[in-house]
Every structure is written in structure tokens, then in C-alpha cells.
Amino acid sequence: MIGVSKLLCGTVRPGDALRYGRDSRSLPSHLLQFAQDKRPIVVWNSTRRCNLRCVHCYADAGNTPDPDELTTDDAKAFIDSLAEFRAPVLLFSGGEPLMRDDLFELGAYARGRGIRTVISTNGTLIDERAAERIRTADFGYVGISLDGVGAVNDEFRGSEGAYDRALAGVRNCVAVRQKVGLRFTITRHNADQVSAMFGLIEREAIDRLCFYHLVYSGRGSTMTQDDLPPPATRALVADIFARTRDLHARGFDKDILTVDNHCDGVLLYLTLHEEDTDRAKEVLQLLRWNGGNSSGIGIANVDWRGDVHADQFWQDYSFGNVRERPFGEIWTDTTDEVMAGLKDRAHLLKGRCGRCRWQDICNGNFRARAKAVYDDIWAEDPACYLTDDEIGLTGPRPEPAEPQPAAAKGTRRRRG
């Protein structure tokens, strides 16, 4: 996750995070990505059931719940284990989390255990009453998925009218002063909608806009041909930077982020390096604290059955089940060689990622994309749009990166 508005517009500086000791349980939510301890933000697919059928759904959700979903009691025991491990955030995802009857009960329970709570939803079920219940249960943020305006979004969602219902959900959240944002997944079919999304958050008083790069997983596993080619991705990210600066210059306090491609952090730094070297140095420090891809480190996924995964896009590999072992025990068990590799991966990365000089702020980018394209979790990320010169294979370097510490050797192992 790259906080574009924070970094590009100078609204966050290294001292802001240092003031809290960079401790994940002390940092305000907008600084959490700069935590030193990297306790994982946990994405819980609380149900596989969903009222829509999105073409790029990583969970391959449908309208029928899995009979083995965690019960309310199971979920509370799971939340207890997160609290004991000091996980800072629990993100309720799906399927569609609002289709769980106990969502608000579990959200309030997690808050009572000191965990920040977030909802990731398609927004179509947030009527006025649901918005008020979300606010009362003290959810810190609601992220609503929109992949364009009107029929463009409906095509992605597989449901006519989904856009209008989701926009009503956004407005219901705004009306009760519930912090809300939009989640937009970039593909070649909706890249022309970026301008409309910026206009939407400006008109509708929406707090945040997150641009997600496509990860080939679930129903999106066959969408490699639907992804933007790297040069077009780069151009679009540069456009997002420009639009973010324009919003800030006009006095709009909006949180703009890009997610799931840490090339964006490098591009942001290189952009600033040409303009303001002092600010660029601050941004470089913040990006190093961010640490790049955090699968198996600062981001975790638990599915509806309780299986623990490195991230939400990698659900065919489980490290264990929270019904059988506490989450913290599973997450710190480096006898699993994949988990050990993710936590210390520099020596395992191959191709351009293995030779890249930006490993300390990218960390090899997304392993799930490498696996999908090359069937090798340590291969280079095919979505990297940086040039050979920029990553240090040829040509001059803008600024030397600090050397990486030596890493222990490891091997790859699959589990069923």
C-alpha cells in the first residue's frame, strides 16, 4: 500500500511516525503502514456468500455459504487470538460481509478487544439502518468497491443497478459521518474511468480512494490478458499522481492510495527526486519503513473456514487453521519454509526482482502474480513497469540504496 497523497503532497513526515515509537498499537491508522513491529493487518473472508458475482473476485464467491464457515463462537475465539497476538486491524471481507448476521456483533467484540475494525464491501446492502449500525459498532472505515461509473461498474459486478445501489451505500455512510472510501481495481477495461473516480470523491465528500492493481487470483486468475501492459500502467499511475496533486492544491483533503504494486513507491520517489531532493529523502525513509510487499509479514488472510494464508490472493496455500492453533502461533511458525521465505526473501527472489536495487522499498512485489504467471513464487513480478536503468541493471542510479542484510538460505515447500 502506497500512501500517494501522504508522500507526494508532504502531509506525512518521518517525525510523525517516530512520535509514536512506530509501534503498531500506538500509531494512528493513517501512519500504520510505517510501523516498526509489522504486526499483521488481518483480512478475514468472513463468508464466501455474496449477492454479486464480480468477474475478478479473488475469493470466487457465490450466493451459497460454505457449510464449514467459522461460527460466531469460532470467530470470537479467533478474534481473541488476534488480540493476544496484538494484531492492530481486522478487516471484515467476503464474499460480502454484510451477509453475515453476526457482523455487527463481531465488529463490536473486536473493538472491545482493542482491535481496529474495517469493512470491505460491495456497498449494495448498506441502507440507512445498516450505515447507522456500522457507525454504532465503531468500524473505523468502510471500503466500497466501485470499478467505474454506471454500466462500467455493473459489468464488473455482474448485476445491473449495482452502481446505483453502491453509491446509495456510500451516501448513507457519509450521512451518518462514517468514514468511507472507494476501492477501484485497475484493468484495461476501466482505465479510462480514473478521472470519473476522482470526480466522484470530490462531489460526494468521500474520504478515500484506493487504486488496486490487478492480482491474478480466484476468478481473476485468467485475467492476465485483461491487465494493463506495464508501460500503460506506469502512465496511469503517473496520472493518478498528477490528479492527487491537483486535489491537494485545490484544498481537498483526500486520502489517495495505490495498492498491490510497490513499483508505485519507487516511481513516486523518482518523481520527487527530480523535483525536491530534500522531500525525496524523507519519502525514501518512509518507503523503507513501509517495507514494500508485506505478504506473510504485515498482511495476513484468514478465509471463511479459518485457514491462514500469506495474503488474500494466495488461498491455495495454507499455513494452518485457527480452529486448531492460535493465529499468532501459526503466523510465527517458520518451520514452514514458505512462511520463512516470505519473512526473509531477498536471497530467494529471481530474475529482475532478484537483482533489483529497490528491494528495501519493494520487497520483490507480489509473489501471487509470479506464481500465477511462472508457477514459481520466487520468480520476478510480471507487473513491474520500471526500466532496467531504474532498477540498477544498467545505466546511472539516481541514489544508492542502502545494502540489504545477508539472509539465511531456505527452500520452497508446498502444502495441500
Side-chain angles (χ1 to χ4, degrees), residues 58 105 137 284 361 382:
Y58 67 80
E105 177 185 353
L284 186 60
I361 65 174

Side-chain angles (χ1 to χ4, degrees), residues 115-307:
I115 302 172
R116 301 167 186 167
T117 52
V118 174
I119 298 176
S120 176
T121 170
N122 62 48
T124 61
L125 302 180
I126 304 179
D127 57 18
E128 293 178 0
R129 181 170 181 268
E132 183 60 40
R133 293 183 74 188
I134 290 169
R135 188 190 63 80
T136 301
D138 201 19
F139 283 95
Y141 173 70
V142 178
I144 294 179
S145 296
L146 279 181
D147 290 317
V149 173
V152 175
N153 178 74
D154 293 355
E155 183 71 20
F156 275 86
R157 305 288 156 211
S159 175
E160 186 176 351
Y163 173 79
D164 291 335
R165 297 194 298 274
L167 185 57
V170 170
R171 289 170 173 166
N172 289 331
C173 287
V174 171
V176 298
R177 298 188 177 183
Q178 169 64 52
K179 186 175 181 180
V180 65
L182 303 182
R183 301 160 55 92
F184 179 99
T185 300
I186 299 168
T187 76
R188 66 172 66 238
H189 305 295
N190 65 351
D192 62 350
Q193 297 288 298
V194 166
S195 174
M197 303 309 289
F198 272 94
L200 192 61
I201 65 167
E202 187 174 330
R203 290 193 308 274
E204 299 288 343
I206 298 169
D207 301 294
R208 178 182 290 181
L209 176 56
C210 297
F211 292 97
Y212 284 75
H213 292 267
L214 186 64
V215 181
Y216 322 130
S217 178
R219 283 201 291 273
S221 61
T222 60
M223 292 184 68
T224 54
Q225 73 277 7
D226 298 298
D227 203 0
L228 280 178
T233 299
R234 181 182 183 128
L236 186 64
V237 171
D239 182 57
I240 290 168
F241 291 173
R243 294 181 186 278
T244 300
R245 281 176 153 168
D246 174 67
L247 271 181
H248 182 75
R250 291 188 291 113
F252 286 95
D253 183 19
K254 304 294 183 183
D255 194 11
I256 310 299
L257 304 100
T258 65
V259 187
D260 297 341
N261 193 335
H262 287 273
C263 294
D264 297 349
V266 179
L267 181 61
L268 191 150
Y269 165 72
L270 293 174
T271 300
L272 281 175
H273 189 267
E274 295 296 318
E275 304 169 356
D276 182 346
T277 55
D278 289 339
R279 178 57 187 166
K281 288 177 182 178
E282 290 187 338
V283 165
L284 186 60
Q285 180 63 73
L286 290 165
L287 288 168
R288 284 172 172 155
W289 287 348
N290 185 352
N293 178 269
S294 204
S295 302
I297 305 169
I299 187 77
N301 173 246
V302 178
D303 67 23
W304 47 88
R305 294 178 297 267
D307 290 328

Side-chain angles (χ1 to χ4, degrees), residues 6 26-33 89 116 140 179 208 255:
K6 297 181 184 72
S26 302
L27 284 166
S29 58
H30 73 287
L31 297 175
L32 194 57
Q33 62 190 283
V89 177
R116 301 167 186 167
K179 186 175 181 180
R208 178 182 290 181
D255 194 11

